[in-house]
Amino acid sequence: MAKGRILYVSQDIMPYTPESEGAHMGRYLPQFTQELGREIRVFMPRFSSISERKHQLHEVIRLSGMNLIVNNCDHQLIIKVGSIPSARMQIYFIDNLEYFTNHQGFYDEKGNLYEDNDERLLFFGRGTLEAVRKLAWQPHLIHFSGWFSSMVPFYLKRINKENAFFSGTKTVLSLTEDSFDGRFTEELERKMKADGATAKDLRLFHDLDYKNLMKAVITYANGIVIASPNVDPELVEFAKANKRHVVDFNPDEKAFYARINKLYDSIIGSNINN
């Protein structure tokens, strides 16, 4: 097995978010991978529902303080960190007053998607990669999960145009049973264009409901993991029609995680030893 460095970017991780198939995998797959001898880093959003006091989060000063421009406005990137001692694993949190501290999750008190969710997606995707670059820790592969992490592959391409830090970094997407009602407006396309989106990018990220968003992200990814038996069949079919590297769901967790790690090897190659 090639070792390599794997970056996990998840919208749900136990115990910070309620238990679900995605949150369970977000918690235990990185641990399994680390125990195989790989280096890992784990990032997620710091929603206001995640108690800093309960989980003993603290700000990482050396990584914080950068301003990211979203929709022509500066927004401060704040990085916090917590740990899961039983797994010997640190979790990094992307935070910002406007986008996370004042937001419970994905929906407002009326059950509607937050109006600024498009900007939150952009901030989380770019902020994660900028924090990793500031760590000077270059991943061989990024495994991202959940629709809230959908801008990671877009920014991976954008940042590579400006800086070769992520040159050669591959991506794997976990499809889960997460979903949302409604759709993103053309405002997302406009904001992506301001961040360097090409005409090809904008064709993919047009008229985005949940299915179209995930189809766009599948198109970017090097590999797909079907992380739940309840994934929308249309997305599973789309993934298998468009990707050579697809891992089907397996209820045997150990076998499933082992197969995912074989997927990593097939994508990053067998000559990675550092």
Side-chain angles (χ1 to χ4, degrees):
M1 181 194 74
K3 290 188 177 180
R5 295 180 290 275
I6 311 297
L7 171 64
Y8 290 95
V9 185
S10 301
Q11 68 184 34
D12 297 302
I13 300 175
M14 297 165 47
Y16 306 106
T17 57
E19 184 171 0
S20 66
E21 288 178 329
H24 184 90
M25 179 178 283
R27 161 63 178 86
Y28 289 103
L29 175 59
Q31 179 181 349
F32 183 93
T33 298
Q34 181 172 251
E35 289 172 353
L36 289 178
R38 301 187 198 267
E39 289 184 52
I40 67 164
R41 296 290 186 275
V42 184
F43 278 76
M44 71 175 297
R46 210 295 287 182
F47 300 120
S48 63
S49 56
I50 300 173
S51 168
E52 293 188 24
R53 181 175 181 180
K54 175 182 177 181
H55 298 292
Q56 299 182 329
L57 308 188
H58 63 272
E59 185 175 349
V60 185
I61 302 298
R62 67 188 179 92
L63 300 180
S64 299
M66 181 188 307
N67 279 0
L68 303 182
I69 298 175
V70 179
N71 197 25
N72 297 317
C73 295
D74 281 343
H75 297 274
Q76 186 181 27
L77 175 62
I78 301 170
I79 311 296
K80 295 173 181 174
V81 68
S83 65
I84 302 177
S86 60
R88 298 181 180 179
M89 195 166 73
Q90 286 189 319
I91 310 294
Y92 291 91
F93 294 83
I94 299 295
D95 201 358
N96 171 268
L97 180 62
E98 293 88 353
Y99 293 143
F100 296 104
T101 304
N102 292 333
H103 291 66
Q104 284 286 334
F106 312 125
Y107 305 97
D108 62 23
E109 63 277 1
K110 296 181 180 179
N112 299 315
L113 288 170
Y114 285 113
E115 290 186 0
D116 63 350
N117 267 354
D118 57 349
E119 295 184 14
R120 298 172 76 214
L121 293 182
L122 296 171
F123 186 90
F124 178 61
R126 183 177 170 194
T128 296
L129 295 181
E130 293 291 359
V132 171
R133 189 163 65 171
K134 209 165 182 180
L135 276 171
W137 187 83
Q138 184 181 24
H140 295 106
L141 184 143
I142 301 173
H143 189 156
F144 60 106
S145 176
W147 64 268
F148 201 80
S149 66
S150 59
M151 291 296 127
V152 167
F154 163 65
Y155 277 114
L156 190 67
K157 291 180 64 177
R158 177 193 181 279
I159 289 173
N160 272 338
K161 290 180 180 179
E162 302 175 350
N163 186 298
F165 182 82
F166 289 104
S167 178
T169 298
K170 307 298 184 182
T171 57
V172 166
L173 164 67
S174 278
L175 288 174
T176 69
E177 59 180 315
D178 70 323
S179 183
F180 61 82
D181 295 322
R183 63 181 60 243
F184 289 99
T185 69
E186 293 180 357
E187 280 293 291
L188 175 59
E189 296 175 62
R190 180 183 66 78
K191 293 165 188 176
M192 290 178 68
K193 187 175 182 180
D195 261 353
T198 65
K200 181 180 179 181
D201 294 321
L202 296 178
R203 283 195 298 271
L204 289 172
F205 288 91
H206 176 71
D207 190 28
L208 294 179
D209 57 9
Y210 172 75
K211 286 184 182 180
N212 286 339
L213 176 62
M214 299 316 295
K215 286 179 179 179
V217 181
I218 289 169
T219 303
Y220 275 94
N222 298 106
I224 306 295
V225 172
I226 311 301
S228 166
N230 301 315
V231 172
D232 189 303
E234 185 178 333
L235 294 179
V236 175
E237 181 180 353
F238 183 84
K240 292 186 174 182
N242 286 274
K243 295 296 171 184
R244 180 166 56 90
H245 300 290
V246 177
V247 174
D248 284 312
F249 177 75
N250 186 340
D252 182 333
E253 184 173 292
K254 185 175 181 180
F256 188 35
Y257 292 174
R259 181 66 188 87
I260 292 171
N261 273 270
K262 287 183 179 179
L263 172 69
Y264 298 159
D265 288 337
S266 67
I267 291 175
I268 64 179
S270 59
N271 58 346
I272 303 295
N273 294 306
N274 55 25

